[in-house]
Amino acid sequence: MAAEPDPCVVVIFGASGDLTSRKLIPALYEMAAAGALPRSTCLLGVSRTQMSDDDWRGKLQPCVKRHAKRFDAAAWADFARRIYYFPGSATRAEIYPQLAERITSLSQQHGGRDNILFYLAVAPSLCIPIVERIEASCLVAEGRRWCTIDRDKMPWQRIIVEKPFGRDLESAQSLNRALGRVFEEDAIYRIDHYLGKELVQSLLVFRFANTIFEPLWNHRYIDHVQITAAETVGVEHRAQYYDEVGAIRDMIQSHLLQVLALVAMEPPTSFTSHHIRQEKIKVLDAIEAAPTDRLQDFATLGQYAGDDAEPAYHLNPRVPTGTTTETFAAIALRFDNWRWAGVPFYIRTGKRMAAKRTEIVIQFKQPPANLFKRTDQFAAGGTRGANQIIIEISPRGGVSLRFQGKVPGSGVRLDTVAMDFDFAKRFGAEPVEAYGPLILDAMRGDQTLYQHRYEVEAAWRAVMPLLGPQARTLRGNIHANYQPGSWGPPSADELLAAHGRAWHNVAPDQ
Ligand code: BG6
């Protein structure tokens, strides 16, 4: 059983933003409705819009109805009594004395034991100014003023920081330095909602609670690994934000390199946040930088074309004319370490693709000796399929082990068969929205599913060659170079075909 989360006041900066209404509040409501959020925890939203507590509650209710898995009027009414609002610009020092008073009085009223969980759900440019204001307001004491007293008994102050965590290595380092001046590393929670997905967490159990996979999990038996996060939606109302970011920053630097780290890391010494994060740092540090003079052999970028549903990305009225921001990226990464020498990890992500699907494909090598050489020995005229493990992170959640079986009847004919584990069927539960459990972890002081400073910086180092001026050629013919409903530009297939490999594409969504 996980430890009980400590009660606290959750102070959300960016209260009137999209993330808060679509993700954070519905997730916290779900936790409250399930009885998992301590009753003496309350929420204080901070934002510039002038609103009363009741106005904010009124605005949030329809969002919770729309985005939470289930809505129960009584559970909402109970939860809404613990939601408060503080109007003010979080970058202005003069609001902080009053804000501090409000936090203290809410903590006393609800029994929050003076614990504060700050949540930065704001644009990246506001993070450093807000952290500096928090410091100046003396709201943070943990590990500082009271460092000689037994820290376990003292109230804590922690901070959750949303992605994007900087926009390149340098800005991420500045943000880390700013945070580090105010909070100790063990009070900084860099959130990545992919780490809260059930199937991403299951990866560690899959790898390290079983003996049968780990001996094969290396360059001797694995040919390559694919990690795909495909979405059918376009950039929608987020065009302006998205254009400053693009697929590499939005998905690869953050979510997909975290997934990659869990697939590729060494077994940790123990199942504790310290040991797990140490191993993730090590493996992310071992990623080889793509050579800048041969980037096209390691990456390809794309932008979706238009159709009846949505204009081509570069024609979206909210993006600058001629934009070369990528809505699709496929990259090949290699590790400079013993376990993975010579094994490429192919990562791809894109908007407006054929299916909504996030998966990991572990592609094993062919057996060393080929006993079944004749192609007529394969059902449906197929070719010999090497073993695969497919871990579906979403939409369903499951693991499929693919191997060769004998087709019944006389003679020897082979066909690929699968043993499937379906998460929902086996456990009778749908994977829950990741944010809720992650926020509860921060209240417990458990950083296992949060990124360490060095993970974030190593992930930036891995993608920096693809973001700088040297990557200009990759963006040369990017406009409308893939069709909506496809699996990306033809160059993405060529990237793998050059090594005799092909992407694993599921059936398109209807
Ligand atoms: C977000 C990205 O972090 O993740 C979005 O900013 C993306 O662009 C989303 O759509 C995907 O998350 P999920 O959980 O739907 O795979």
Side-chain angles (χ1 to χ4, degrees):
M1 276 286 284
E4 282 292 304
D6 293 342
C8 62
V9 179
V10 184
V11 181
I12 304 178
F13 292 102
S16 54
D18 224 36
L19 177 74
T20 304
S21 52
R22 280 158 48 116
K23 296 284 186 188
L24 305 186
I25 300 291
L28 286 165
Y29 158 78
E30 279 175 7
M31 295 295 104
L37 188 74
R39 286 208 60 81
S40 30
T41 286
C42 67
L43 271 59
L44 178 62
V46 182
S47 196
R48 276 184 311 187
T49 320
Q50 284 298 325
M51 276 190 284
S52 65
D53 294 337
D54 279 338
D55 293 339
W56 197 39
R57 292 170 186 146
K59 271 186 181 246
L60 292 175
Q61 198 227 36
C63 303
V64 170
K65 266 191 172 160
R66 197 167 331 124
H67 298 291
K69 283 239 158 60
R70 259 159 239 98
F71 183 81
D72 175 80
W76 166 254
D78 185 45
F79 177 60
R81 279 196 286 276
R82 297 190 264 156
I83 297 182
Y84 301 89
Y85 185 75
F86 184 92
S89 166
T91 53
R92 299 179 69 126
E94 56 272 26
I95 70 157
Y96 280 80
Q98 260 186 320
L99 179 61
E101 267 175 39
R102 189 87 195 272
I103 295 171
T104 309
S105 86
L106 286 176
S107 193
Q108 282 165 3
Q109 183 186 333
H110 287 271
R113 295 196 215 142
D114 291 333
N115 296 324
I116 310 173
L117 180 60
F118 298 103
Y119 200 122
L120 294 187
V122 294
S125 58
L126 301 181
C127 290
I128 294 181
I130 295 177
V131 170
E132 287 170 352
R133 301 287 173 269
I134 292 175
E135 178 182 27
S137 68
C138 296
L139 277 163
V140 178
E142 187 178 45
R144 307 254 159 210
R145 275 191 285 151
W146 295 325
C147 56
T148 51
I149 304 176
D150 183 356
R151 282 181 54 179
D152 289 346
K153 300 206 174 67
M154 297 310 300
W156 51 253
Q157 300 83 35
R158 298 177 187 148
I159 188 162
I160 299 184
V161 189
E162 260 299 331
K163 74 166 255 281
F165 206 82
R167 54 172 290 106
D168 53 20
L169 177 59
E170 211 180 309
S171 53
Q173 285 170 328
S174 307
L175 180 51
N176 278 329
R177 276 195 297 272
L179 284 163
R181 280 194 287 271
V182 187
F183 296 90
E184 299 209 346
E185 183 60 30
D186 65 8
I188 303 171
Y189 290 73
R190 298 175 191 82
I191 196 163
D192 182 314
H193 80 275
Y194 265 51
L195 290 179
K197 288 181 188 273
E198 275 297 350
L199 263 290
V200 174
Q201 294 175 48
S202 299
L203 260 171
L204 290 183
V205 175
F206 182 77
R207 286 192 58 199
F208 303 129
N210 295 299
T211 28
I212 57 174
F213 305 117
E214 202 46 29
L216 308 178
W217 213 260
N218 57 54
H219 66 97
R220 278 188 290 281
Y221 299 101
I222 292 179
D223 177 75
H224 72 274
V225 175
Q226 298 181 14
I227 301 175
T228 293
E231 295 183 273
T232 51
V233 292
V235 294
E236 300 177 312
H237 61 285
R238 295 164 78 223
Q240 224 169 345
Y241 155 80
Y242 192 88
D243 201 70
E244 288 179 15
V245 181
I248 295 175
R249 291 187 175 91
D250 190 45
M251 293 293 292
I252 295 184
Q253 186 277 337
S254 47
H255 306 321
L256 300 188
L257 288 189
Q258 281 296 311
V259 174
L260 171 111
L262 296 175
V263 173
M265 68 191 251
E266 294 300 317
T269 307
S270 72
F271 201 74
T272 56
S273 103
H274 174 65
H275 285 140
I276 292 173
R277 297 198 319 167
Q278 268 186 341
E279 294 305 333
K280 284 167 66 197
I281 295 169
K282 260 166 62 186
V283 79
L284 288 166
D285 263 340
I287 295 176
E288 270 181 352
T292 46
D293 55 339
R294 287 198 299 123
L295 282 183
Q296 66 287 357
D297 297 338
F298 289 83
T300 187
L301 306 179
Q303 261 184 14
Y304 56 79
D307 62 6
D308 294 345
E310 198 178 321
Y313 178 75
H314 69 287
L315 300 177
N316 186 314
R318 290 186 166 165
V319 304
T321 319
T323 176
T324 57
T325 298
E326 74 286 356
T327 63
F328 173 94
I331 66 176
L333 292 174
R334 283 175 193 269
F335 291 97
D336 186 11
N337 69 8
W338 195 299
R339 183 186 284 258
W340 295 115
V343 180
F345 281 65
Y346 299 108
I347 301 184
R348 77 179 158 166
T349 183
K351 302 276 184 198
R352 300 223 66 197
M353 291 179 67
K356 167 79 182 157
R357 172 109 175 164
T358 303
E359 67 172 22
I360 303 160
V361 177
I362 311 292
Q363 178 70 58
F364 287 86
K365 292 184 173 172
Q366 299 284 0
N370 183 0
L371 303 185
F372 307 99
K373 290 195 177 69
R374 296 196 339 256
T375 50
D376 64 352
Q377 286 182 320
F378 294 90
T383 51
R384 196 163 60 119
N387 298 134
Q388 282 179 327
I389 295 174
I390 299 176
I391 301 168
E392 179 180 343
I393 293 171
S394 67
R396 282 196 63 73
V399 179
S400 178
L401 176 60
R402 310 274 168 97
F403 53 95
Q404 295 298 307
K406 178 185 171 301
V407 179
S410 61
V412 178
R413 287 181 70 234
L414 279 63
D415 199 1
T416 302
V417 294
M419 273 165 59
D420 293 333
F421 152 59
D422 181 308
F423 182 89
K425 266 197 206 146
R426 170 62 181 81
F427 292 115
E430 294 293 333
V432 296
E433 170 59 72
Y435 275 97
L438 284 176
I439 298 172
L440 294 189
D441 276 356
M443 294 180 191
R444 289 187 184 98
D446 181 349
Q447 293 187 302
T448 311
L449 300 175
Y450 286 87
Q451 303 181 66
H452 190 278
R453 161 180 190 166
Y454 296 146
E455 290 177 59
V456 171
E457 294 178 9
W460 276 118
R461 254 177 232 114
V463 297
M464 283 317 289
L466 304 170
L467 296 172
Q470 62 277 30
R472 214 173 288 131
T473 45
L474 291 179
R475 298 172 194 275
N477 295 314
I478 199 171
H479 290 166
N481 69 355
Y482 71 96
Q483 292 305 312
S486 72
W487 286 102
S491 52
D493 293 329
E494 289 154 18
L495 189 73
L496 268 66
H499 304 278
R501 300 180 176 120
W503 291 105
H504 177 258
N505 293 336
V506 295
D509 287 354
Q510 293 308 312

